[in-house]
Amino acid sequence: MTVTPDPVGPGQESVWTFPRPSLAQPSPRHLRIEHRGSIVAETRRAIRTIETSHPPTYYFPPEDVHAVVTRSPRGGSFCEWKGSTVYFDVTIAGTTVSEAAWSYPTPTAPFAAIAGYFAFYAAAFDGCFVDGERVRPQPGGFYGGWITSDLAGPFKGVPGSQFW
């Protein structure tokens, strides 16, 4: 299947220039998650993972997570690059959001920097922000990328993208 990348505007980066296999890199951007009037997590010390066709996924250091995260009974999944993940329920302001976060307790060596960090599904919360901009969740419900206006797609997760 041939995919035509969207045009790249000023100040944008194309997810089609992101590497495959994916990689992890520090991100100094200001990230914030809000839910029910409370801050779930906030950091400037995230690690972002990038991969061809995906918007970045941001991993928060555990000390910058203000909600209670508890291991979900459902378990986890497997990433061909990062290894086995564990899903977490997130409790904030008296509300529990099931399987709204995940973590890699023992990722593969190239992703050692994200060990024990938490990533969050943007769609699960009232608002997720990168440098003050409200993000859009990566389409499809499975992937956890955060889409901002400085990214050009199209993004994996849309109908027909299963084999990208």
Side-chain angles (χ1 to χ4, degrees):
M1 170 180 221
T2 302
V3 177
T4 302
D6 293 340
V8 178
Q12 285 189 315
E13 60 182 333
S14 173
V15 298
W16 291 92
T17 63
F18 288 172
R20 186 167 176 87
S22 61
L23 64 84
Q25 55 189 200
S27 175
R29 299 185 82 174
H30 179 213
L31 309 176
R32 189 176 77 251
I33 303 170
E34 299 174 357
H35 196 67
R36 307 278 175 151
S38 297
I39 296 175
V40 173
E42 186 167 23
T43 193
R44 289 183 182 273
R45 302 178 306 129
I47 304 291
R48 82 173 189 163
T49 58
I50 57 173
E51 178 180 347
T52 304
S53 78
H54 293 264
T57 298
Y58 293 98
Y59 291 82
F60 289 68
E63 56 273 17
D64 292 346
V65 176
H66 308 296
V68 175
V69 291
T70 54
R71 190 171 181 153
S72 170
R74 182 172 148 222
S77 60
F78 182 80
C79 170
E80 64 185 310
W81 314 120
K82 296 181 272 308
S84 294
T85 186
V86 175
Y87 294 130
F88 290 86
D89 298 338
V90 176
T91 302
I92 189 81
T95 302
T96 298
V97 186
S98 297
E99 298 176 3
W102 70 95
S103 182
Y104 290 89
T106 54
T108 60
F111 294 91
I114 66 169
Y117 278 43
F118 293 100
F120 298 87
Y121 287 106
F125 301 99
D126 292 340
C128 295
F129 303 86
V130 174
D131 293 334
E133 177 186 348
R134 181 181 295 272
V135 307
R136 290 181 294 135
Q138 184 172 2
F142 177 74
Y143 302 109
W146 289 16
I147 301 172
T148 51
S149 62
D150 59 355
L151 297 172
F155 306 104
K156 184 161 179 84
V158 297
S161 65
Q162 180 178 3
F163 299 107
W164 286 2

